[in-house]
C-alpha cells in the first residue's frame, strides 16, 4: 500500500474511507471513545464527514488530562464541527477511586477499569448503537514494543456485541498526522506528543492528591508553553513534568518553605525502547525553573532528569 505522505494522498485516502465507512455503516449509529489524542480525533473527524450525526462520541474527563485538553475536545468537536459529543466529567469519580493508591500498576488498573465502566454506563444510556469505532493504528496491530494498546475499549461486557469500525488501522502515526491535517484538525491536536492512557496519573508519583496533581498539570502547561515559544515543540519527542511524593526545605517570600520538587523530563527516541535526553539550553532551563517555582503553588525546586533510557524509563512509574 502506498504510504500517505502528502496532502493529495491524504485527500484520496479520506475520500475512499468516506465511501467505505458509508457502505459499512449504512444508517446505523456508531459509538467512539474520543480522548482528544490524534488517533481518536482523526477517526472522529472521518466519521463526522462520512455519517455526521450518526456518530456519537464520548469524551471521558478522568481528571488526569493536561491543562486545556478537555476544553479543546469540546471546542473542536461540539462547537466547531457540530458533532454529537457526550462530555462526561468523571474527575471526582477517578480521583476518589485512586485516593491512597501508590502502586503504579494498581493505579493503571484502576484508571483503565474505571474508564471502561464509565464508557459502558454511557453506552447503556444510548439506544440503537450498532458499531464501535476505534483509533487502532498499524503499530497497535503489530503490538510493537512498549506502545501500549490504549486505543480500544476492549473489556466491554460481551452483551454489547458491537461491530468494529477501524478506519486508520493500516496507517502509521506519521500518516495519521497527515490525514488529520488534511481533515482540518488543529495543529495542537494533530502534532501532539505521545500521551499515556493513564495521563498525568503516572506523573503524580505515588498516591495521587488533588494538590499534587494540580502541580503536575500547571508545571506541564508552563513547560509546554516555553517549549512552544522556544522552537522545541515538534523537535523534542516527549517532554513533561513529574511531581514526586516528597518535600524538601526551601525559602519562599523570606520564609522557610517545605514543598515539592518538580522534575522536568525531555527525551528523544525512535521507538520508545531507548531514549536520549534533550540538550535544553541552560538559560531556558533557568527561565522555566523561575516560572515554575513562582507560578505553581506548593513547589520550591525544579530538577532536570539527565537519565537516558536505559537506565531510566521515560515515565517515572
Ligand atoms: P516508558 O516509561 O516505558 O514509556 O519508557 C515508553 C512510552 O510509553 C508511554 N507509556 C504509556 N502509554 N499507557 C500508555 O498508553 C501506559 O500505561 C504507558 N506507560 C508508558 C510513555 O509515555 C512513553 O511514550
Amino acid at each position: 500500500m502506498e504510504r500517505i505522505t502528502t496532502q493529495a494522498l491524504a485527500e484520496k485516502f479520506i475520500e475512499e474511507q468516506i465511501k467505505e465507512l458509508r457502505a459499512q455503516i449504512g444508517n446505523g449509529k456508531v459509538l467512539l471513545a474520543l480522548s482528544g489524542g490524534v488517533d481518536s480525533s482523526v477517526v472522529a473527524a472521518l466519521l463526522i464527514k462520512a455519517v455526521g450525526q450518526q456518530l456519537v462520541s464520548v469524551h471521558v474527563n478522568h481528571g488526569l488530562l493536561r491543562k486545556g485538553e478537555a476544553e479543546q475536545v469540546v471546542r473542536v468537536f461540539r462547537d466547531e464541527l457540530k458533532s454529537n459529543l457526550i462530555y462526561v466529567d468523571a474527575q471526582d469519580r477517578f480521583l476518589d477511586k485512586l485516593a491512597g493508591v501508590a502502586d503504579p500498576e494498581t493505579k493503571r488498573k484502576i484508571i483503565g477499569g474505571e474508564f471502561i465502566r464509565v464508557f459502558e454506563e454511557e453506552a447503556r444510556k444510548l439506544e440503537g448503537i450498532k458499531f464501535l469505532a476505534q483509533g487502532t493504528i498499524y503499530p497497535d496491530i503489530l503490538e510493537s514494543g512498549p506502545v501500549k494498546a490504549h486505543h480500544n475499549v476492549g473489556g466491554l461486557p460481551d452483551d454489547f456485541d458491537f461491530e468494529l469500525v477501524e478506519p486508520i488501522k493500516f496507517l502509521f502515526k506519521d500518516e495519521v498526522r497527515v490525514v488529520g491535517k488534511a481533515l482540518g484538525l488543529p495543529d495542537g491536536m494533530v502534532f501532539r506528543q505521545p500521551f499515556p492512557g493513564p495521563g498525568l496519573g503516572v506523573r503524580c508519583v505515588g498516591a495521587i492528591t488533588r494538590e499534587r496533581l494540580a502541580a503536575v498539570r500547571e508545571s506541564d502547561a508552563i513547560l509546554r508553553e516555553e517549549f512552544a515559544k522556544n522552537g522545541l515543540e515538534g523537535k523534542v519527542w516527549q517532554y513533561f513534568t513529574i511531581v514526586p511524593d516528597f518535600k524538601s526545605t526551601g525559602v519562599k517570600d523570606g520564609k522557610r518553605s517545605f514543598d515539592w520538587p518538580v522534575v522536568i523530563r525531555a527525551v528523544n527516541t525512535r521507538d520508545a525502547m531507548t531514549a536520549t535526553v534533550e540538550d535544553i539550553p541552560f538559560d531556558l532551563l533557568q527561565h522555566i525553573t523561575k516560572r515554575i517555582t513562582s507560578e505553581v503553588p506548593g513547589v520550591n525546586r525544579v530538577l532536570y532528569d539527565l537519565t537516558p533510557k536505559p537506565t531510566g524509563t521515560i515515565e517515572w512509574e
Side-chain angles (χ1 to χ4, degrees):
M1 219 160 49
E2 190 173 18
R3 301 239 319 132
I4 301 168
T5 50
T6 63
Q7 163 107 10
L9 289 169
E11 279 165 9
K12 193 170 141 231
F13 171 84
I14 293 165
E15 230 171 82
E16 285 166 6
Q17 278 311 314
I18 290 174
K19 273 194 217 131
E20 280 183 31
L21 287 168
R22 285 184 181 153
Q24 183 186 3
I25 296 163
N27 54 14
K29 273 197 197 167
V30 192
L31 185 62
L32 169 75
L34 177 58
S35 70
V38 55
D39 304 327
S40 63
S41 299
V42 165
V43 169
L46 275 172
L47 280 160
I48 291 165
K49 272 201 186 311
V51 297
Q53 297 295 310
Q54 287 162 249
L55 170 71
V56 184
S57 304
V58 177
H59 178 65
V60 178
N61 182 353
H62 54 25
L64 306 167
L65 300 170
R66 287 177 290 196
K67 192 172 181 174
E69 253 171 4
E71 293 81 357
Q72 185 188 43
V73 169
V74 173
R75 193 174 63 243
V76 171
F77 290 97
R78 182 180 288 167
D79 303 344
E80 291 170 17
L81 297 175
K82 314 272 182 233
S83 70
N84 207 343
L85 173 74
I86 298 172
Y87 169 76
V88 189
D89 183 351
Q91 300 187 69
D92 288 342
R93 191 168 157 169
F94 277 81
L95 295 182
D96 290 350
K97 271 251 148 87
L98 286 163
V101 181
D103 176 63
E105 287 319 309
T106 312
K107 282 166 72 178
R108 277 189 171 76
K109 277 204 190 104
I110 290 174
I111 297 166
E114 202 56 19
F115 181 86
I116 291 167
R117 269 188 294 281
V118 172
F119 189 72
E120 181 194 333
E121 281 170 24
E122 291 305 316
R124 289 212 189 275
K125 290 184 202 158
L126 300 165
E127 290 197 351
I129 302 280
K130 200 169 154 210
F131 301 92
L132 180 70
Q134 298 196 151
T136 314
I137 64 171
Y138 205 44
D140 299 329
I141 295 176
L142 299 175
E143 281 189 334
S144 66
V147 180
K148 308 207 167 68
H150 59 284
H151 291 296
N152 55 54
V153 269
L156 279 177
D158 289 343
D159 64 310
F160 274 116
D161 200 25
F162 295 129
E163 186 180 320
L164 287 184
V165 175
E166 298 180 301
I168 57 170
K169 72 172 172 194
F170 294 118
L171 303 191
F172 284 97
K173 199 70 159 196
D174 54 329
E175 298 179 290
V176 180
R177 294 196 207 278
V178 181
V179 172
K181 189 94 185 115
L183 283 163
L185 290 174
D187 280 2
M189 214 165 229
V190 172
F191 297 105
R192 258 169 50 142
Q193 46 168 326
F195 189 58
L200 300 182
V202 292
R203 298 170 183 173
C204 189
V205 176
I208 299 170
T209 62
R210 280 161 217 261
E211 292 75 20
R212 217 150 44 80
L213 185 60
V216 179
R217 183 174 288 122
E218 293 305 317
S219 57
D220 173 76
I222 292 171
L223 183 74
R224 287 192 289 139
E225 188 189 320
E226 290 298 332
F227 267 40
K229 262 197 222 156
N230 289 280
L232 294 172
E233 188 186 48
K235 178 177 174 268
V236 182
W237 194 79
Q238 200 173 13
Y239 46 95
F240 53 88
T241 59
I242 300 124
V243 180
D245 192 9
F246 65 82
K247 290 184 172 178
S248 73
T249 309
V251 201
K252 224 176 189 178
D253 306 323
K255 286 193 295 252
R256 270 170 88 86
S257 67
F258 194 55
D259 281 329
W260 300 300
V262 160
V263 180
I264 297 174
R265 188 98 171 112
V267 297
N268 290 305
T269 177
R270 259 178 193 285
D271 55 9
M273 297 292 282
T274 61
T276 56
V277 175
E278 172 73 15
D279 186 358
I280 305 180
F282 196 67
D283 55 349
L284 178 57
L285 279 174
Q286 285 176 309
H287 175 64
I288 295 170
T289 300
K290 189 155 192 242
R291 280 200 62 192
I292 290 177
T293 49
S294 58
E295 292 174 38
V296 183
V299 171
N300 63 0
R301 283 176 199 274
V302 175
L303 316 173
Y304 187 38
D305 186 351
L306 290 170
T307 322
K309 177 180 180 178
T311 52
T313 47
I314 296 175
E315 302 291 346
W316 266 42
E317 63 172 32

